[in-house]
């Protein structure tokens, strides 16, 4: 499988079992409301979650009365998001779409848009990742804000944690993380050993190691004015060696 397409074989039911601990509803609610603050949203505002995954943030905001639309390429994740919205009778839309080419009617529709949980930088080519930024910018209204949340890759370049074991849902995962200097990517390789005896080696999870100045430059190219740069959803100042996240907010 070419590196460019690694994500097509990654975000499935097994992924949900591997990262079951990340699906904590209290964590999702806390993060969602911190993004509301950063995006300066008010009740009833239109919000785009892209990529939305299985809707862990979208569903929180839909319950609070925001007009939510999510976009993702994973059919399995979208099915879960739609089922959860229908079960709770929530007004939320979930679209199957490539982040680089969102639906035409998204233009100028949203008061805010966000890309959370290191979902920015999936593509090998900078031009493709720039298209994602451009599409998020296209989707927001004048005065609307875009939030990009990625892991602070500067913590991973030196030193890099070589091998980590952790427990998922009915599985144990061996995770190896390395910095690939030739492509400026963080590469995450996972071998999963399920309790039923099945062993699966997932395609390498590859994310461009964008630094704060990269995100600010890409936002400017998309016609966005950088508004804030924080080291986490809580708004704490960014510190290269200690901040767990890079959270950039830019305004159209």
């Amino acid at each position: 499988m070419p590196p460019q397409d690694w994500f097509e074989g990654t975000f499935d039911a097994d992924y949900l079992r591997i990262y079951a601990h990340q699906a904590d509803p209290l964590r999702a609610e806390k993060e969602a409301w911190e993004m509301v603050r950063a995006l300066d949203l008010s009740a009833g505002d239109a919000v785009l979650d892209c990529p939305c995954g299985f809707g862990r943030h979208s569903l929180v905001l839909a319950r609070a009365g925001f007009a939510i639309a999510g976009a993702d390429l994973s059919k399995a994740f979208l099915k879960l998001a739609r089922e959860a919205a229908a079960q709770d009778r929530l007004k939320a839309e979930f679209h199957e779409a490539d982040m680089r080419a969102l639906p035409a009617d998204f233009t100028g529709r949203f008061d805010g848009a966000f890309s959370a949980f290191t979902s920015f930088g999936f593509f090998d080519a900078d031009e493709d990742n720039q298209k994602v930024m451009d599409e998020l910018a296209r989707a927001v209204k004048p005065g609307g804000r875009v939030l990009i949340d990625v892991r602070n890759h500067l913590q991973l370049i030196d030193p890099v944690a070589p091998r980590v074991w952790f427990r998922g849902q009915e599985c144990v995962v061996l995770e190896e993380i390395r910095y690939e200097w030739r492509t400026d990517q963080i590469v995450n390789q996972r071998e999963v050993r399920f309790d039923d005896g099945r062993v699966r080696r997932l395609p390498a999870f590859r994310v461009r190691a964008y630094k704060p100045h990269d995100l600010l430059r890409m936002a400017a190219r998309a016609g966005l004015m950088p508004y804030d740069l924080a080291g986490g959803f809580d708004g704490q100042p960014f510190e290269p060696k200690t901040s767990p996240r890079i959270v950039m907010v830019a305004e159209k």
Side-chain angles (χ1 to χ4, degrees):
M1 176 180 293
Q4 182 82 3
D5 300 328
W6 63 265
F7 46 85
E8 294 183 4
T10 298
F11 299 113
D12 56 14
D14 282 348
Y15 179 90
L16 293 176
R17 293 170 67 182
I18 293 167
Y19 290 106
H21 62 289
Q22 300 285 5
D24 177 8
L26 293 179
R27 172 179 170 176
E29 184 163 357
K30 182 174 184 292
E31 291 174 350
W33 282 107
E34 286 171 339
M35 285 191 283
V36 166
R37 175 196 55 78
L39 291 168
D40 193 28
L41 298 171
S42 301
D45 279 351
V47 187
L48 172 62
D49 180 358
C50 176
C52 62
F54 54 92
R56 68 191 186 99
H57 294 123
S58 294
L59 296 169
V60 170
L61 297 181
R63 290 187 187 99
F66 291 92
I68 287 293
D72 205 284
L73 202 60
S74 169
K75 290 181 172 63
F77 282 10
L78 289 169
K79 182 175 183 290
L80 289 173
R82 289 166 180 156
E83 288 174 350
Q87 180 176 336
D88 291 348
R89 298 182 180 179
L90 300 175
K91 292 183 179 179
E93 305 171 14
F94 293 101
H95 301 259
E96 183 178 344
D98 189 310
M99 295 185 286
R100 296 165 293 182
L102 295 174
D105 64 357
F106 276 16
T107 300
R109 176 178 163 186
F110 300 97
D111 298 287
F114 62 86
S115 171
F117 198 49
T118 315
S119 298
F120 184 82
F122 279 6
F123 303 102
D124 291 344
D126 286 330
E127 293 80 4
D128 282 317
N129 293 315
Q130 181 66 53
K131 286 179 183 177
V132 177
M133 186 76 77
D134 294 345
E135 286 294 272
L136 293 173
R138 176 176 68 83
V140 297
K141 303 171 182 177
R145 292 181 181 178
V146 172
L147 181 149
I148 303 291
D149 156 57
V150 296
R151 187 168 180 179
N152 178 14
H153 302 308
L154 295 172
Q155 289 187 319
L156 297 175
I157 292 175
D158 184 26
V160 172
R163 296 166 70 90
V164 177
W165 288 95
F166 64 89
R167 182 79 187 174
Q169 183 181 45
E170 300 177 347
C171 65
V172 175
V173 185
L174 171 61
E175 185 174 71
E176 297 179 84
I177 302 174
R178 71 179 189 277
Y179 174 67
E180 192 170 274
W181 62 267
R182 289 181 177 83
T183 59
D184 194 24
Q185 289 177 315
I186 300 299
V187 182
N188 184 333
Q189 184 69 65
R190 290 148 300 165
E191 181 177 285
V192 189
R193 302 181 182 181
F194 294 93
D195 293 353
D196 61 10
R198 184 164 58 98
V199 177
R200 181 181 177 191
R201 190 168 177 83
L202 294 173
F205 192 115
R206 310 171 67 91
V207 180
R208 286 281 280 111
Y210 287 126
K211 288 82 174 173
H213 69 275
D214 296 317
L215 297 176
L216 296 171
R217 171 180 49 80
M218 296 172 80
R221 282 188 59 187
L224 299 169
M225 181 178 295
Y227 178 82
D228 192 22
L229 185 78
F233 285 120
D234 58 5
Q236 289 296 313
F238 175 75
E239 296 293 342
K241 291 297 184 181
T242 58
S243 294
R245 315 292 301 173
I246 302 171
V247 179
M248 183 205 71
V249 178
E251 189 171 291
K252 188 171 181 179

